[in-house]
Amino acid sequence: MYDIRLTGVTKRFEAFTAVNDINFTIPKSSVTVLLGPSGCGKTTLMRMIAGLESPTEGRIFFDDHDVTDVPTRRRNIGMVFQYPVIYRGTSVRRNLELPLLSEKLSKAEIEKRVDEVAEILDLTSVLKRQVEELDNGTRQKIAVGREVARQPKIILFDEPITNIDLTSKLELKRSMKELFGRLQQTIVYVTHDQTEAMTLADQIALMQDGVITQSDSPKEIYEKPTSQFAGWFLGNPGMNFVPPEFISVSGNKVSSPLFSQVIDMGTRAKDADTYGVRAEGIQVSLTETKGGVPAKVTRKSIGAGGQYLLDLAFGSLLAKARVSHEIGKAASGMVYTTIASENITFFDKSGTAI
Ligand code: ADP
Ligand code: MG
């Protein structure tokens, strides 16, 4: 399998820079998710990896081969797009085997590969059906299966779940997860959906305005965002941010009315402008505790797994806390909160974690 190395890759559309000087390696045989809001350059970057678009500047390598000028059909890649590409008027089996017929493969090998991907994607029972009879989610599985059966070295996915109806979405996501666990290929998966990224990725490359701002494992990027943008974009809800008027810095020490401890930040203290804390980083107690900071519960909602999300008001400042079912159910009026120092991420004026 290939790793994909991008060096100084830039794409301009006239005066507009869609992808800006990206230097990044996508490791082989793992799942890298390009995650970011609409318009940040994900598709453009993927299309350059595919050879459907040429970089304005920079080079693209698959291992040590410079493929910048190599046409798509000679790059040994598979591609899955937002809308399922299927061959109408034929069966599912036919759809899966068609691209294999032009390769020099025995009939037995073709059958083996088709049966294998059908099994992984849960398509075995529909192999004989006509593609028109099947829902959008199943059609997208067929499009995925067809690319996988060809066994390219790299498979690129561009928001393959985004336009699938809600009922099929979860099933398709589950199938993708199963598939990715089995594949040896280098996978690049584009999405704007952070939940999808957290579920599927070995590593997330977070994009903003044409650059990759952070790349890490889902856990790492969630727990240790290097920017306010990452803290905000990842998670549901995103990180709570506390503005400068709630922070006081005295020498190396930082304090805030939201927590009772004083944090020694060393020389970084002078740059502390805002801080962020995840909803689950705010501990909530129903009774007064030592060091507990009072907050008013203004709203509560129950989420996946029975946990509650509480909207808390610390005076004029609002924050969300994720709590257990028991605490959430009982919480009303005033509660008492603590925030452990390790759950606090400070940011400087530019929004960079310090
Ligand atoms: P994403 O996939 O992250 O939503 P895209 O890569 O599709 O973003 O687009 C990034 C930016 O580049 C957008 O502002 C888009 O309008 C612009 N763009 C993409 N393709 C073209 C094109 N062919 N011509 C002009 N602008 C383009
Ligand atoms: Mg796109």
Side-chain angles (χ1 to χ4, degrees):
M1 303 306 147
Y2 300 145
D3 62 28
I4 303 167
R5 196 154 51 86
L6 309 164
T7 61
V9 171
T10 296
K11 181 69 185 183
R12 279 188 287 271
F13 296 107
E14 294 172 7
F16 178 76
T17 306
V19 169
N20 192 2
D21 190 21
I22 288 187
N23 294 286
F24 188 66
T25 299
I26 295 170
K28 64 182 71 181
S29 304
S30 67
V31 182
T32 299
V33 173
L34 300 179
L35 171 69
S38 176
C40 71
K42 305 180 295 296
T43 295
T44 305
L45 183 58
M46 207 199 80
R47 286 173 58 83
M48 289 192 281
I49 294 169
L52 297 170
E53 202 82 72
S54 303
T56 314
E57 281 166 36
R59 310 302 297 176
I60 299 172
F61 298 84
F62 291 174
D63 284 344
D64 288 331
H65 315 294
D66 185 338
V67 297
T68 318
D69 303 315
V70 174
T72 301
R73 64 175 190 288
R74 288 184 40 224
R75 289 196 188 191
N76 200 357
I77 52 172
M79 280 182 275
V80 179
F81 301 100
Q82 288 198 17
Y83 293 95
V85 178
I86 50 160
Y87 306 118
R88 289 170 178 278
T90 59
S91 69
V92 174
R93 179 176 284 282
R94 189 75 183 154
N95 259 269
L96 293 175
E97 72 189 5
L98 258 175
L100 303 181
L101 298 175
S102 56
E103 296 184 25
K104 289 189 196 81
L105 297 171
S106 68
K107 236 180 129 188
E109 172 66 16
I110 292 177
E111 202 173 307
K112 180 170 156 270
R113 288 200 194 178
V114 169
D115 289 344
E116 229 167 58
V117 296
E119 195 261 311
I120 300 173
L121 291 166
D122 225 357
L123 290 170
T124 310
S125 63
V126 297
L127 276 173
K128 292 204 177 89
R129 300 267 295 274
Q130 293 293 109
V131 288
E132 285 83 355
E133 299 168 22
L134 303 166
D135 65 40
N136 226 15
T138 312
R139 289 183 192 182
Q140 188 65 300
K141 281 191 190 174
I142 298 166
V144 171
R146 203 177 43 230
E147 295 306 292
V148 170
R150 286 176 42 228
Q151 302 186 351
K153 300 245 186 188
I154 294 170
I155 312 183
L156 308 173
F157 294 84
D158 193 356
E159 311 235 15
I161 293 180
T162 299
N163 292 304
I164 303 302
D165 39 302
L166 211 58
T167 46
S168 316
K169 241 183 188 156
L170 275 181
E171 161 62 15
L172 190 56
K173 190 152 82 172
R174 197 200 55 75
S175 285
M176 292 284 194
K177 179 86 189 156
E178 163 81 18
L179 179 73
F180 290 174
R182 300 243 215 142
L183 291 181
Q184 296 303 309
Q185 269 98 347
T186 305
I187 291 168
V188 184
Y189 187 104
V190 164
T191 183
H192 68 277
D193 180 329
Q194 59 90 26
T195 320
E196 217 171 293
M198 295 291 281
T199 313
L200 297 174
D202 291 319
Q203 56 272 327
I204 293 175
L206 182 65
M207 287 186 71
Q208 181 186 23
D209 299 335
V211 300
I212 294 174
T213 61
Q214 186 175 0
S215 90
D216 260 315
S217 69
K219 184 174 178 321
E220 193 73 6
I221 206 165
Y222 181 82
E223 290 178 358
K224 298 202 174 67
T226 56
S227 65
Q228 262 188 291
F229 171 72
W232 167 76
F233 199 75
L234 273 287
N236 185 21
M239 208 169 215
N240 295 298
F241 293 111
V242 178
E245 57 269 31
F246 289 85
I247 300 178
S248 14
V249 178
S250 164
N252 293 343
K253 307 268 173 42
V254 179
S255 58
S256 167
L258 263 69
F259 51 81
S260 53
Q261 73 271 38
V262 172
I263 300 177
D264 189 336
M265 292 186 67
T267 53
R268 295 176 303 142
K270 65 180 186 328
D271 296 319
D273 184 58
T274 54
Y275 67 88
V277 56
R278 291 274 178 207
E280 53 277 13
I282 301 180
Q283 263 74 51
V284 173
S285 165
L286 299 173
T287 51
E288 232 174 315
T289 49
K290 187 168 173 287
V293 175
K296 188 163 182 274
V297 179
T298 59
R299 188 169 172 267
K300 51 186 192 177
S301 53
I302 190 161
Q307 286 185 319
Y308 274 82
L309 203 58
L310 303 180
D311 284 18
L312 300 178
F314 298 84
S316 61
L317 183 84
L318 305 177
K320 289 181 191 296
R322 203 188 307 278
V323 295
S324 69
H325 186 81
E326 294 69 35
I327 289 188
K329 205 170 160 189
S332 72
M334 296 306 280
V335 292
Y336 299 86
T337 62
T338 48
I339 304 173
S341 304
E342 65 264 26
N343 291 333
I344 299 171
T345 309
F346 286 95
F347 300 94
D348 67 13
K349 269 200 166 57
S350 74
T352 305
I354 52 172

